[in-house]
Amino acid sequence: MISHDLGKEKGVYISTYGCQMNVNDTERMYTLLEMLNYSPVSTADRADLIIVNSCSVREKPVHKVHSEVGRYKDLKIKKPHLKIGVGGCVAQQEKKKLLKDVPLLDFVFGTDAIDQLPKIVQDLMAQNNKVVSAQFEHAKPYHVETLVRNPGVSTFVNITKGCDNFCTFCVVPFTRGRERSRPLRHLLQDVLNLTKRGVKEVTLLGQNVNSYTSECGANFAQLMKALASDTPIERIRFTTSHPKDFDEELVSVMQEHRDKIMDYIHLPVQSGNSEVLARMNRGYTREEYIRKAKMILEIMPGAALSTDIIVGFPGETQGQFEDTMTLLDEVPYESIFSFKYSPRPFTKAARWEDQLSDKEKSQRLYRLQDQHKQIAFELAKRYQNQKVSVLVEEYDEETGKANGRSTQNKLTHFQADRNLVGETVQVLIKEAFPQTLRGEWIR
Ligand code: SAH
Ligand code: SF4
Ligand code: F3S
């Protein structure tokens, strides 16, 4: 039987929903809990502590959180010492209400309370009272060193937290709070430390990385330049960038350091219609967006683009939706992430009356995805018989199968005869699909 005595090793199970921010936060939680002698376990039934790191961006992930916690009911009866908590964006949004709605829960902690997790867990074990910690730390500077147990070849680095954009559909400004940036010198040191641990690639994370502003005044382009020039990191990626803040200075820095800064840009458009974009409060028109996308491809020929699209935003007419469809002919997106509009708490658009039916939203989503599927197959052909540069992330001794990502972020499979993990190799592509490439290693 697993003991819950302090001092003995205990098991923790964390399940993660949502974006890379949450994936990174989960890693931080595991690292912090390791200091309290908690080791990760692979299934919930072996855990003494279960944490659900939740996402609130659309209704579906919120439902998933509730049903997952519900599934632990029997486990809790069998193991009375088991503690269950919810962190992440649903926790931040609901705060103590979540404890009332889900009596099974022992604790709720918000997106700014992750570093307090060891204390929260200790208090919980000592007093057996339910705990809620969901304050925003707006006044504190954003100083967090990346915490990751086994960083591997590629890892995430938070550069900003929060979002001040208040797109009218989006809950994130309410669940992640005001935007704050980490100081440039901390980031340079952080990335340098990671390279000493074998990291070859970092993905800089923020809800809107382009609005990064260091306390010394450096902007995102200057941060990228400094990371490329002053640290030994081999590859730099970032997500997510906001079209309104994506400027020529940044694209020029990317082109100048193309050996290190990857030529893949995720540039969420949300809609191809300027009126819808205005009601979404996105800060750009269809024409401005297209101009920026073309500017990127002119300065960085061959770069890969992807986007996020919402269909069925309140009041979106059939004609306005058709503008989103035709945008696919204007901008060569290699992949799109598309969603049915989902009304979110606290947001302006959720209060508007002209909501579309689920059926209408589903039809639009289907048409958009279907059209893009064909485009994506066409676009993938450009990799056929081309050499791509791949940072190897996995190798299977038995089969010799290796894979990694090309600079344009395509998962690339090939055959190798030795462990190449961590090396950047050239692969000649023989088969090209929208998400994956298959080819031969060029020695
Ligand atoms: N900061 C990022 C987006 C984070 S949320 C940006 O500005 O691009 C990720 C994606 O979820 C968004 O780009 C949007 O397409 C989608 N999304 C956000 N809120 C949504 C909602 N209420 N309904 C449907 N999709 C939504
Ligand atoms: Fe949400 Fe808009 Fe901020 Fe992105 S930029 S997180 S979509 S409010
Ligand atoms: Fe979801 Fe929060 Fe990320 S709402 S998408 S986990 S910032």
Side-chain angles (χ1 to χ4, degrees):
M1 205 179 111
I2 302 167
S3 158
H4 62 283
D5 293 339
L6 283 171
K8 286 204 188 135
E9 195 164 282
K10 292 154 287 197
V12 51
Y13 180 81
I14 309 180
S15 65
T16 311
Y17 296 86
C19 62
Q20 281 149 334
M21 215 78 73
N22 264 14
V23 175
N24 208 21
D25 287 347
T26 290
E27 185 53 42
R28 192 171 190 85
M29 292 176 202
Y30 274 130
T31 315
L32 289 165
L33 288 169
E34 213 161 57
M35 299 169 195
L36 284 189
N37 229 355
Y38 278 92
S39 308
V41 290
S42 53
T43 52
D45 58 341
R46 292 167 55 207
D48 305 88
L49 175 66
I50 297 176
I51 295 173
V52 180
N53 194 6
S54 63
C55 170
S56 158
V57 80
R58 286 171 293 276
E59 214 174 348
K60 238 193 205 159
V62 178
H63 285 318
K64 283 192 195 152
V65 167
H66 284 271
S67 62
E68 174 166 351
V69 176
R71 283 203 301 277
Y72 298 139
K73 196 171 174 183
D74 291 346
L75 217 52
K76 184 104 180 171
I77 295 168
K78 257 197 285 180
K79 286 165 91 169
H81 75 272
L82 171 69
K83 300 289 181 202
I84 306 176
V86 173
C89 289
V90 177
Q92 187 65 51
Q93 177 188 307
E94 301 290 316
K95 303 187 181 68
K96 63 174 189 263
K97 185 171 170 289
L98 201 57
L99 282 186
K100 214 168 77 196
D101 294 349
V102 189
L104 214 57
L105 288 180
D106 298 288
F107 65 109
V108 170
F109 63 109
T111 51
D112 257 0
I114 294 169
D115 286 359
Q116 294 160 36
L117 189 58
K119 182 168 184 323
I120 294 172
V121 171
Q122 273 174 329
D123 287 353
L124 202 65
M125 298 303 175
Q127 308 159 358
N128 228 9
N129 280 339
K130 299 207 174 195
V131 180
V132 178
S133 178
Q135 294 288 321
F136 278 132
E137 301 283 358
H138 288 146
K140 278 196 195 157
Y142 184 38
H143 292 176
V144 290
E145 191 194 347
T146 300
L147 287 184
V148 40
R149 292 161 302 155
N150 306 304
V153 169
S154 179
T155 198
F156 298 123
V157 172
N158 284 62
I159 65 163
T160 65
K161 67 169 181 177
C163 182
D164 292 348
N165 283 317
F166 290 93
C167 300
T168 54
F169 53 81
C170 186
V171 76
V172 172
F174 304 95
T175 62
R176 293 276 168 174
R178 298 291 56 74
E179 188 180 281
R180 295 286 181 268
S181 298
R182 292 177 61 193
L184 178 86
R185 63 198 158 83
H186 289 195
L187 284 166
L188 290 176
Q189 189 60 49
D190 207 6
V191 170
L192 180 66
N193 293 346
L194 288 167
T195 59
K196 286 183 185 153
R197 296 172 68 192
V199 171
K200 309 285 182 196
E201 174 181 270
V202 287
T203 302
L204 309 178
L205 284 186
Q207 289 301 342
N208 176 4
V209 287
N210 324 81
S211 59
Y212 171 86
T213 315
S214 174
E215 58 188 19
C216 66
N219 66 14
F220 183 62
Q222 288 155 345
L223 167 68
M224 297 279 272
K225 204 178 171 75
L227 285 171
S229 321
D230 305 341
T231 76
I233 193 74
E234 291 176 22
R235 285 183 159 201
I236 304 167
R237 299 184 185 278
F238 56 89
T239 198
T240 303
S241 39
H242 195 299
K244 78 174 159 58
D245 303 317
F246 211 104
D247 58 14
E248 218 170 305
E249 181 195 6
L250 175 57
V251 191
S252 303
V253 166
M254 290 180 73
Q255 174 64 14
E256 193 185 324
H257 295 278
R258 207 157 166 176
D259 56 326
K260 285 192 162 194
I261 303 175
M262 298 295 97
D263 47 2
Y264 164 71
I265 298 163
H266 182 59
L267 199 62
V269 67
Q270 313 300 357
S271 165
N273 176 272
S274 297
E275 287 154 33
V276 173
L277 287 169
R279 284 190 293 119
M280 286 176 161
N281 191 31
R282 289 292 289 179
Y284 52 86
T285 63
R286 172 191 174 96
E287 291 69 31
E288 283 163 353
Y289 181 94
I290 293 174
R291 231 177 289 134
K292 278 205 181 163
K294 295 206 163 138
M295 179 267 289
I296 292 170
L297 295 176
E298 247 159 53
I299 301 179
M300 292 183 78
L305 296 177
S306 67
T307 201
D308 290 349
I309 294 174
I310 296 177
V311 300
F313 185 71
E316 182 189 71
T317 64
Q318 190 62 38
Q320 290 170 337
F321 169 67
E322 298 301 334
D323 284 347
T324 299
M325 293 289 285
T326 61
L327 185 72
L328 299 186
D329 304 323
E330 300 268 355
V331 184
Y333 295 120
E334 296 194 6
S335 41
I336 64 168
F337 302 87
S338 49
F339 314 98
K340 291 191 273 185
Y341 168 73
S342 172
R344 307 309 303 128
F346 318 118
T347 61
K348 276 193 182 159
R351 295 195 289 271
W352 295 342
E353 279 174 8
D354 40 3
Q355 304 284 330
L356 275 72
S357 70
D358 188 58
K359 190 169 161 225
E360 187 58 51
K361 289 191 256 190
S362 298
Q363 281 170 351
R364 291 182 189 182
L365 187 69
Y366 179 81
R367 265 191 66 203
L368 182 75
Q369 293 182 341
D370 193 49
Q371 168 143 334
H372 183 260
K373 215 181 283 163
Q374 297 163 33
I375 294 174
F377 268 95
E378 279 307 308
L379 287 174
K381 284 187 189 156
R382 76 173 172 119
Y383 296 108
Q384 197 88 35
N385 297 319
Q386 295 298 309
K387 251 189 341 191
V388 299
S389 162
V390 176
L391 170 61
V392 184
E393 293 191 40
E394 284 182 337
Y395 173 68
D396 183 341
E397 284 298 335
E398 271 173 33
T399 61
K401 285 188 171 132
N403 69 61
R405 298 217 163 243
S406 71
T407 61
Q408 294 100 340
N409 206 33
K410 300 275 188 220
L411 187 60
T412 307
H413 299 274
F414 61 98
Q415 204 65 28
D417 57 15
R418 65 179 171 85
N419 189 350
L420 296 170
V421 171
E423 289 180 43
T424 297
V425 300
Q426 303 299 310
V427 178
L428 181 66
I429 300 308
K430 293 294 172 187
E431 282 179 287
F433 304 103
Q435 302 307 329
T436 55
L437 306 174
R438 202 171 293 281
E440 288 166 7
W441 171 30
I442 310 170
R443 285 154 211 260

Tab-separated table of all heavy atoms in Angstrom, residues 57-58 169-170 207 240 268 270 282 308 310 339-342 344, ligand 1:
chain	number	residue	atom	x	y	z
A	57	VAL	N	-10.548	27.661	-22.530
A	57	VAL	CA	-10.652	28.480	-23.739
A	57	VAL	C	-11.948	28.234	-24.520
A	57	VAL	O	-12.486	29.145	-25.132
A	57	VAL	CB	-9.377	28.333	-24.608
A	57	VAL	CG1	-9.383	27.072	-25.439
A	57	VAL	CG2	-9.168	29.552	-25.482
A	58	ARG	N	-12.429	26.989	-24.472
A	58	ARG	CA	-13.730	26.671	-25.072
A	58	ARG	C	-14.489	25.791	-24.084
A	58	ARG	O	-13.915	25.292	-23.125
A	58	ARG	CB	-13.538	25.937	-26.419
A	58	ARG	CG	-13.083	26.852	-27.547
A	58	ARG	CD	-12.691	26.088	-28.791
A	58	ARG	NE	-11.498	25.296	-28.572
A	58	ARG	CZ	-10.243	25.759	-28.670
A	58	ARG	NH1	-10.027	27.007	-29.010
A	58	ARG	NH2	-9.213	24.986	-28.434
A	169	PHE	N	-13.879	37.456	-27.835
A	169	PHE	CA	-14.308	36.065	-27.659
A	169	PHE	C	-13.520	35.337	-26.580
A	169	PHE	O	-13.860	34.236	-26.201
A	169	PHE	CB	-14.156	35.289	-28.981
A	169	PHE	CG	-12.768	35.396	-29.585
A	169	PHE	CD1	-11.743	34.595	-29.129
A	169	PHE	CD2	-12.498	36.327	-30.580
A	169	PHE	CE1	-10.466	34.701	-29.666
A	169	PHE	CE2	-11.231	36.437	-31.130
A	169	PHE	CZ	-10.206	35.629	-30.666
A	170	CYS	N	-12.442	35.953	-26.085
A	170	CYS	CA	-11.405	35.171	-25.400
A	170	CYS	C	-11.375	35.334	-23.883
A	170	CYS	O	-11.376	36.449	-23.350
A	170	CYS	CB	-10.050	35.550	-25.982
A	170	CYS	SG	-8.724	34.537	-25.338
A	207	GLN	N	1.234	34.526	-24.704
A	207	GLN	CA	-0.038	34.647	-25.438
A	207	GLN	C	0.116	35.574	-26.619
A	207	GLN	O	-0.593	35.472	-27.606
A	207	GLN	CB	-1.152	35.163	-24.523
A	207	GLN	CG	-1.611	34.166	-23.500
A	207	GLN	CD	-2.126	32.889	-24.127
A	207	GLN	OE1	-2.443	32.842	-25.298
A	207	GLN	NE2	-2.197	31.843	-23.336
A	240	THR	N	2.635	32.448	-29.112
A	240	THR	CA	1.951	32.779	-30.337
A	240	THR	C	2.221	34.242	-30.675
A	240	THR	O	2.269	35.073	-29.783
A	240	THR	CB	0.441	32.604	-30.143
A	240	THR	OG1	0.168	31.283	-29.741
A	240	THR	CG2	-0.305	32.870	-31.417
A	268	PRO	N	-2.200	33.640	-35.893
A	268	PRO	CA	-3.655	33.442	-35.826
A	268	PRO	C	-4.441	34.597	-36.438
A	268	PRO	O	-4.268	35.745	-36.040
A	268	PRO	CB	-3.932	33.342	-34.325
A	268	PRO	CG	-2.635	32.924	-33.740
A	268	PRO	CD	-1.590	33.616	-34.554
A	270	GLN	N	-8.041	34.359	-37.122
A	270	GLN	CA	-9.400	34.237	-36.520
A	270	GLN	C	-10.539	34.401	-37.535
A	270	GLN	O	-11.517	33.677	-37.477
A	270	GLN	CB	-9.614	35.204	-35.337
A	270	GLN	CG	-8.500	35.257	-34.313
A	270	GLN	CD	-8.186	33.938	-33.623
A	270	GLN	OE1	-8.854	32.926	-33.850
A	270	GLN	NE2	-7.154	33.920	-32.787
A	282	ARG	N	-9.568	42.597	-32.917
A	282	ARG	CA	-8.265	42.030	-33.236
A	282	ARG	C	-7.229	43.091	-33.612
A	282	ARG	O	-6.031	42.816	-33.620
A	282	ARG	CB	-8.393	41.008	-34.379
A	282	ARG	CG	-9.083	39.722	-33.952
A	282	ARG	CD	-8.269	38.917	-32.982
A	282	ARG	NE	-7.089	38.304	-33.590
A	282	ARG	CZ	-6.215	37.559	-32.930
A	282	ARG	NH1	-6.352	37.346	-31.633
A	282	ARG	NH2	-5.179	37.032	-33.541
A	308	ASP	N	-4.903	30.149	-36.656
A	308	ASP	CA	-6.106	29.740	-35.918
A	308	ASP	C	-7.297	30.474	-36.516
A	308	ASP	O	-7.179	31.661	-36.844
A	308	ASP	CB	-6.032	30.185	-34.446
A	308	ASP	CG	-5.004	29.423	-33.630
A	308	ASP	OD1	-4.486	28.408	-34.113
A	308	ASP	OD2	-4.731	29.867	-32.499
A	310	ILE	N	-11.672	31.010	-36.090
A	310	ILE	CA	-12.938	30.761	-35.383
A	310	ILE	C	-14.077	30.901	-36.390
A	310	ILE	O	-14.135	31.901	-37.109
A	310	ILE	CB	-13.148	31.776	-34.239
A	310	ILE	CG1	-12.063	31.593	-33.171
A	310	ILE	CG2	-14.532	31.635	-33.632
A	310	ILE	CD1	-12.143	32.597	-32.031
A	339	PHE	N	-11.886	26.334	-35.038
A	339	PHE	CA	-12.787	26.059	-33.922
A	339	PHE	C	-14.147	26.688	-34.158
A	339	PHE	O	-14.246	27.749	-34.763
A	339	PHE	CB	-12.213	26.652	-32.625
A	339	PHE	CG	-10.755	26.374	-32.418
A	339	PHE	CD1	-9.788	27.327	-32.747
A	339	PHE	CD2	-10.332	25.149	-31.913
A	339	PHE	CE1	-8.428	27.066	-32.567
A	339	PHE	CE2	-8.977	24.880	-31.736
A	339	PHE	CZ	-8.033	25.840	-32.057
A	340	LYS	N	-15.187	26.026	-33.602
A	340	LYS	CA	-16.498	26.659	-33.561
A	340	LYS	C	-16.466	27.677	-32.434
A	340	LYS	O	-15.948	27.382	-31.347
A	340	LYS	CB	-17.576	25.619	-33.233
A	340	LYS	CG	-17.806	24.621	-34.339
A	340	LYS	CD	-19.056	23.809	-34.068
A	340	LYS	CE	-18.754	22.603	-33.205
A	340	LYS	NZ	-19.918	21.714	-33.013
A	341	TYR	N	-17.018	28.847	-32.660
A	341	TYR	CA	-17.078	29.849	-31.594
A	341	TYR	C	-17.784	29.270	-30.364
A	341	TYR	O	-18.833	28.639	-30.474
A	341	TYR	CB	-17.804	31.117	-32.072
A	341	TYR	CG	-18.121	32.028	-30.919
A	341	TYR	CD1	-17.113	32.764	-30.294
A	341	TYR	CD2	-19.409	32.101	-30.386
A	341	TYR	CE1	-17.381	33.555	-29.193
A	341	TYR	CE2	-19.692	32.899	-29.286
A	341	TYR	CZ	-18.675	33.613	-28.690
A	341	TYR	OH	-18.939	34.385	-27.589
A	342	SER	N	-17.213	29.506	-29.210
A	342	SER	CA	-17.771	28.995	-27.966
A	342	SER	C	-17.883	30.172	-26.976
A	342	SER	O	-16.880	30.811	-26.667
A	342	SER	CB	-16.805	27.918	-27.435
A	342	SER	OG	-17.143	27.480	-26.171
A	344	ARG	N	-17.734	32.359	-23.851
A	344	ARG	CA	-16.963	32.189	-22.627
A	344	ARG	C	-17.362	33.207	-21.565
A	344	ARG	O	-17.705	34.346	-21.897
A	344	ARG	CB	-15.446	32.330	-22.898
A	344	ARG	CG	-14.882	31.459	-23.988
A	344	ARG	CD	-15.222	29.976	-23.874
A	344	ARG	NE	-14.838	29.340	-22.638
A	344	ARG	CZ	-15.681	28.623	-21.890
A	344	ARG	NH1	-16.944	28.488	-22.231
A	344	ARG	NH2	-15.256	28.049	-20.790
B	1	SAH	N1	-2.999	34.209	-27.743
B	1	SAH	C1	-3.315	33.454	-28.863
B	1	SAH	C2	-4.530	32.557	-28.721
B	1	SAH	C3	-4.758	31.768	-27.527
B	1	SAH	S1	-6.235	30.846	-27.524
B	1	SAH	C4	-3.623	34.410	-29.989
B	1	SAH	O1	-4.031	35.523	-29.785
B	1	SAH	O2	-3.498	33.986	-31.098
B	1	SAH	C5	-5.970	29.749	-28.900
B	1	SAH	C6	-7.027	29.823	-29.938
B	1	SAH	O3	-8.269	29.397	-29.430
B	1	SAH	C7	-7.316	31.211	-30.494
B	1	SAH	O4	-6.411	31.613	-31.456
B	1	SAH	C8	-8.709	31.069	-31.044
B	1	SAH	O5	-8.696	30.646	-32.386
B	1	SAH	C9	-9.303	29.960	-30.184
B	1	SAH	N2	-10.303	30.509	-29.275
B	1	SAH	C10	-10.121	31.367	-28.262
B	1	SAH	N3	-11.295	31.671	-27.667
B	1	SAH	C11	-12.247	30.976	-28.337
B	1	SAH	C12	-13.663	30.867	-28.215
B	1	SAH	N4	-14.330	31.571	-27.302
B	1	SAH	N5	-14.307	30.047	-29.079
B	1	SAH	C13	-13.640	29.362	-30.029
B	1	SAH	N6	-12.310	29.428	-30.184
B	1	SAH	C14	-11.618	30.223	-29.351
